[in-house]
Amino acid sequence: MKRSPLKLISAIALMLMAGTANAASVAPPANLTQAGKLTFCAEFGNPPLGFYDEAQVLTGFEIELGTELAKRMGLEVQWKEVAFSAIIPALMAKQCDAILSQLFDKPERREVVDFINYMYSSQSLLAPKGNPKNIKGLADLSGLKVSVGNGTTIQSLLDEQNKLFKEAGKPEANIVVFPKDADARQALQTGQVDAYGTTLETAAFFFTKAGQIFDIAGEPFNKIKTGMAIRKGEADTVGALQKAFDSIREDGTYMKLLEKWELGADAIE
């Protein structure tokens, strides 16, 4: 039996309404930076989390997670690219609603922002193929040149290691700081440094993609929780993002995204 045009239109309308209801399962925050959009501050160039692929398309685990979070609120995702060293100031200046850029949950950061943790991260060192300097950890970097991205945790860990070298009467590591993590990696690839410090996730990605160029030097270290950062006092935004993230975990989307980007071992409890 054929449906009448009016009934068919009504059925389609109900389907569309149901789809919208499913997509917008969480009420969005009232104080968005831009109406209708969920805006994240991030630095790109950190695969497999947030980076431009060979076709210059923005992709990665965090990109897909951010898109899904916005979808659960019936919003469009928007990205504000910011140098990592300036990412918290950009959030505080209300250039975005939250940070989604492998920001480690540290006590000093919790003094100015609230966190919603979504994965674990660790630190790692990359060396040229064959690891000619026999680097197994931070303690082996005395007198060597090491590249890092500005404002990163590995930079602060190297600063602490240099204090230990100095106390022991050993030559300090020559820490070469670059504006972006991608620039620090390029320095290793072009032979400007002996090692490159970054997160395990990025190190593993490039070892998998370019194992003929790089080796992972030693075991990963400094495992830490990683989270979205939101300005203090914005309970509405924290609540909405937490509910959206919880729904992503509960329906299995979270693990599917992690496993797609080979990050299943970094799942948060």
Side-chain angles (χ1 to χ4, degrees), residues 88-166:
I88 290 181
L91 173 68
M92 304 310 290
K94 297 190 176 181
Q95 294 180 27
C96 54
D97 302 304
I99 295 170
L100 184 51
S101 190
Q102 202 174 21
L103 189 69
F104 299 157
D105 184 349
K106 298 179 180 180
E108 60 270 25
R109 287 175 175 162
R110 277 194 172 265
E111 293 179 4
V112 293
V113 297
D114 288 322
F115 276 96
I116 297 173
N117 294 317
Y118 58 86
M119 67 180 289
Y120 280 102
S121 296
S122 299
Q123 299 295 305
S124 188
L125 297 169
L126 273 181
K129 187 64 181 177
N131 193 8
K133 302 292 185 179
N134 195 29
I135 300 166
K136 297 179 181 178
L138 296 177
D140 298 318
L141 298 175
S142 174
L144 301 184
K145 291 181 71 174
V146 189
S147 60
V148 296
N150 190 26
T152 56
T153 293
I154 190 66
Q155 180 185 5
S156 61
L157 291 174
L158 283 166
D159 287 338
E160 291 301 314
Q161 183 63 48
N162 268 347
K163 293 178 183 178
L164 297 177
F165 287 145
K166 189 173 182 179

Side-chain angles (χ1 to χ4, degrees), residues 13 19 26 52 54 81-82 87 89 119-120 126 143 151 158-159 173 189 205 207 210 235 237 246 249:
V26 176
Y52 289 99
E54 294 177 356
E81 188 167 7
V82 183
I87 206 162
M119 67 180 289
Y120 280 102
L126 273 181
L158 283 166
D159 287 338
Q189 190 167 346
F205 178 88
F207 177 70
T237 303
D246 289 345
R249 293 181 66 183

Side-chain angles (χ1 to χ4, degrees), residues 100-266:
L100 184 51
S101 190
Q102 202 174 21
L103 189 69
F104 299 157
D105 184 349
K106 298 179 180 180
E108 60 270 25
R109 287 175 175 162
R110 277 194 172 265
E111 293 179 4
V112 293
V113 297
D114 288 322
F115 276 96
I116 297 173
N117 294 317
Y118 58 86
M119 67 180 289
Y120 280 102
S121 296
S122 299
Q123 299 295 305
S124 188
L125 297 169
L126 273 181
K129 187 64 181 177
N131 193 8
K133 302 292 185 179
N134 195 29
I135 300 166
K136 297 179 181 178
L138 296 177
D140 298 318
L141 298 175
S142 174
L144 301 184
K145 291 181 71 174
V146 189
S147 60
V148 296
N150 190 26
T152 56
T153 293
I154 190 66
Q155 180 185 5
S156 61
L157 291 174
L158 283 166
D159 287 338
E160 291 301 314
Q161 183 63 48
N162 268 347
K163 293 178 183 178
L164 297 177
F165 287 145
K166 189 173 182 179
E167 291 172 2
K170 295 181 178 181
E172 297 180 18
N174 181 0
I175 306 170
V176 186
V177 182
F178 288 86
K180 293 185 177 182
D181 189 72
D183 299 331
R185 181 171 59 253
Q186 184 68 20
L188 176 65
Q189 190 167 346
T190 55
Q192 299 176 51
V193 297
D194 302 301
Y196 153 60
T198 186
T199 65
L200 171 63
E201 293 71 31
T202 295
F205 178 88
F206 280 101
F207 177 70
T208 301
K209 298 292 183 182
Q212 75 282 8
I213 299 174
F214 303 119
D215 266 332
I216 294 180
E219 296 295 321
F221 51 95
N222 201 59
K223 185 176 181 179
I224 192 170
K225 290 179 179 179
T226 299
M228 291 175 275
I230 304 98
R231 287 179 293 273
K232 286 281 188 185
E234 296 196 358
D236 186 36
T237 303
V238 172
L241 282 170
Q242 185 68 65
K243 287 179 182 177
F245 180 60
D246 289 345
S247 72
I248 289 169
R249 293 181 66 183
E250 288 164 5
D251 68 11
T253 301
Y254 172 66
M255 284 306 303
K256 286 180 182 177
L257 290 178
L258 282 172
E259 289 166 358
K260 173 182 177 179
W261 294 100
E262 299 182 3
L263 296 170
D266 291 331

